[in-house]
Amino acid sequence: MDLNELKENWKNVNERLSKLEAREEKLTRLSRELYHRKRTAQEKLISQYSRLRVVLGLFGVLYLSFGLYWALTTGGMQLSDGLVFPWWILALIGLFCFAAAIFDGYLSREVSRIDLGTMSVMDVSRIATRCRRLHHLWMVYAIPAAVVLVSLMFWSMQGNEAAVIGGIAGGVAGLACGLVIYLRIMKNYRRLMRPDDIPLE
């Protein structure tokens, strides 16, 4: 082997090493980016569930307090045209909000159990999958319960056109907000569960 062949072999080795180093650097960068995305998704889920817990808890206190107050005083909430909004409907809505707040608090705690620094990808995915399944299981029971409560509210408001229109507008707005929140939560679950997908935007 002459000097030129040695130089050529050395050049090839250097090129391969450079490619390997570049590939390792890229993998390291992607790994860090994936970790950051997972951490961000976890933090967002915890924040989303925590906010929902606080808001629903406050609504629960308000509805239950108003319902009990009117039960002890007037027996209901007097609306226009002599329409009475029964106190027990308010109490049921308050209890529903409390149940939702408690469940959101539980899911927030479960998601916070994930330790991206020590857990394997499978462990992270397993906990995230379980929390997402529980979220959907809650919806299986919560949506019919909400439909019943809304139906009771409209039943109590029959004959009051302004109240019905306001209820429909509020229902549509609430449904739209709920859908947006649900889609954001599911997006963060996907980010937390997928080990090999970085660009989700």
Side-chain angles (χ1 to χ4, degrees), residues 45-156:
L45 279 171
I46 294 172
S47 176
Q48 287 166 331
Y49 281 130
S50 297
R51 287 198 301 268
L52 286 172
R53 178 184 59 189
V54 171
V55 171
L56 289 168
L58 289 175
F59 273 112
V61 170
L62 290 175
Y63 276 108
L64 196 57
S65 298
F66 288 152
L68 293 177
Y69 172 76
W70 280 306
L72 296 174
T73 55
T74 63
M77 183 174 70
Q78 191 73 27
L79 298 181
S80 59
D81 298 329
L83 180 67
V84 174
F85 197 67
W87 68 270
W88 52 269
I89 293 182
L90 290 176
L92 287 176
I93 295 173
L95 292 174
F96 177 82
C97 289
F98 274 133
I102 291 172
F103 196 78
D104 286 335
Y106 172 77
L107 287 177
S108 175
R109 188 188 68 179
E110 289 299 297
V111 172
S112 66
R113 287 179 49 227
I114 297 175
D115 189 342
L116 296 172
T118 60
M119 289 183 175
S120 66
V121 173
M122 291 300 296
D123 288 335
V124 172
S125 180
R126 178 178 55 82
I127 296 176
T129 301
R130 177 176 173 271
C131 290
R132 187 180 66 169
R133 185 171 63 250
L134 288 173
H135 184 109
H136 286 145
L137 184 62
W138 160 254
M139 292 179 65
V140 169
Y141 294 100
I143 291 176
V147 170
V148 171
L149 289 174
V150 171
S151 300
L152 288 173
M153 292 173 67
F154 278 104
W155 165 78
S156 69

